[in-house]
Amino acid sequence: MTPRLDGLAALEGRGELGYSPPVRYYLETFGCQMNVHDSDRMEEVLHAHGWQNTPTPDEAELVIFNTCSVREKAEQKLRSEVGKLAPLKAARPALVIVVAGCVAQQEGERLLKQIRHLDLVIGPDNIPELPKLVTSQLGGSPKTARTEFDLVETHFLASSPQGGKTPVSAMVTTMKGCDERCSFCVVPYTRGPERYRPVDEIIADIARWVEAGSREVLLLGQTVDSYRDSSLPSPNTGDPDESQFPFLLKRIAKEIPTLARLRYTSPHPRHATPSLARTHAELDVLAHHVHLPVQSGSDRILKRMIRRYTREEFVERARRLLAARPDMTMSTDIIVGFPGETDDDFEATLSLVREVGFTALFGFKYSPRPHTPAKKLADDVPEVVKAERLARLFAVIEEQGATHLQSLVGTSQEVLVEGASKMSRAEMGLRRVQGRTVRNEIVHIEVPREAHVEGQLLNVDVVRANKHSLEGQIERENLARFRRASQSESPRRALPIFAS
Ligand code: SAH
Ligand code: F3S
């Protein structure tokens, strides 16, 4: 284990800390997968110093909120959660309260003035400094905001899988920041310019997870398919939107042959080139699913959003990817009520959703964000109209999603089991686990209580479709095999659930 921080040890030695070590921390995460990933790295940094987590703020010396500012609602929620801690801080002034992540980066010092009981504000690129900064706070230093991007020497925190906590599906980051300037989006401001993680580091991270027991990897990046690394071959297709992402995928497939599944999020449609589609056809490890955010189906709105593709171009790229495998599916992100969006623009979005045949989507009401070009446009679509459009969008996707799930009833699917699902039927010696198909549909399965199936690929008969998931049964021969195996084997520790 890494030695405890010198500063902390010194303070402890002088009896100047208002608590008994080790530091206990409470961490709450808001927002996207990137934030979940950052929180995991934060925990690893804290554990490396011997600090321990607690399930509630009440027993903690340190409370950290890892925050999201992509929509106003997320930011408000954070402010209300931090607000709730005011009485605790009043009762225990030595408690250190930290806001990390995108709200921290966006607001910086201002946040310290706005929330009086806050001690530390720390941006996404400053996570490695967290223990040092907290130690200073515990020693009575003045409130601090640290929000520097690591532009000169970019550093990616390597994963360090913790014993007994390895997820079946691990997240691995490939890049920081975003160079697109979608007019509605605060991310380029909160996450900075694009910086790519060297391919060897990515491979080493994946190898560590696989060694620790993970079976699937989800590559993360704001525009994950814009990936570049000078050690990879040059694409040489003459297409300026061509990136080296397909080469990254191929290197991973070749160098980590024991990886069961590989997914990535989120690609920008601009880089969804023919070579990416060909890579999907070539690599068996790639999921038969792509999440390709479109945002709108209207050319007029796409232009105002500065998405840098037309509806026609999007449809062409989506079709090419969908054609890569016979069972390929696609999901997307859509914003309704962007400034100036008319009924006709919205109808164009609905028709695009039908035309592409997405099986799922994340839909959002437009929310004006600070530092974004669209903030200068009047937020002129009334709230009720935004709500109505979102409801209509959801009705369309619910129907498409349900039709798709229904089409899988009666088929056999290979399911990667992630962990226990809610209900257990102990009385019948069965428990429910959940996993995902190669396209990412959730499948609930009943397995013998003693069978240790977490992290395994099971052949499952789909017997029923729920609203957002499937019900499956293990094929008969496999069930008999599990029963025999569990009678002869001593139980192994099951892996924890990996939340979707
Ligand atoms: N490229 C990123 C996108 C981050 S934001 C990724 O990897 O996911 C995630 C989604 O939030 C966007 O695709 C968009 O649909 C939505 N979003 C972003 N800014 C928004 C805003 N100002 N109002 C409403 N939705 C927004
Ligand atoms: Fe945001 Fe567009 Fe980048 S949605 S993260 S600016 S690709």
Side-chain angles (χ1 to χ4, degrees), residues 177-227:
C178 181
D179 285 350
E180 296 291 324
R181 286 286 182 273
C182 302
S183 62
F184 51 81
C185 186
V186 74
V187 170
Y189 187 84
T190 58
R191 295 275 174 171
E194 282 173 24
R195 284 146 291 160
Y196 299 98
R197 189 179 197 184
V199 64
D200 291 339
E201 272 187 42
I202 297 173
I203 303 261
D205 232 17
I206 297 175
R208 263 192 302 276
W209 283 118
V210 170
E211 172 74 14
S214 296
R215 303 299 316 279
E216 176 181 271
V217 158
L218 173 62
L219 299 175
L220 294 181
Q222 300 295 345
T223 54
V224 70
D225 56 346
S226 69
Y227 186 78

Side-chain angles (χ1 to χ4, degrees), residues 455-471:
Q456 290 197 31
L457 287 164
L458 298 183
N459 287 325
V460 165
D461 292 323
V462 178
V463 292
R464 206 170 61 248
N466 303 322
K467 210 167 167 198
H468 299 291
S469 63
L470 297 167
E471 295 288 332

Side-chain angles (χ1 to χ4, degrees), residues 336-337 341 343 346 381-391:
V336 300
E341 187 187 70
D343 285 342
F346 177 65
V381 178
E383 182 59 28
V384 287
V385 176
K386 285 183 186 169
E388 206 177 281
R389 287 181 186 167
L390 199 58

Side-chain angles (χ1 to χ4, degrees), residues 70-71 184-185 187 221-222 265-266 293 295 333-335 364-367 369:
V70 82
R71 283 167 294 277
F184 51 81
C185 186
V187 170
Q222 300 295 345
T265 199
S266 291
Q295 314 299 356
D333 288 349
I334 283 176
I335 297 177
F364 309 102
K365 291 184 212 162
Y366 170 68
S367 162
R369 302 312 294 136

Side-chain angles (χ1 to χ4, degrees), residues 147-161:
T147 53
E148 305 295 317
F149 289 130
D150 57 3
L151 300 180
V152 181
E153 235 182 281
T154 302
H155 184 76
F156 289 86
L157 270 171
S159 69
S160 107

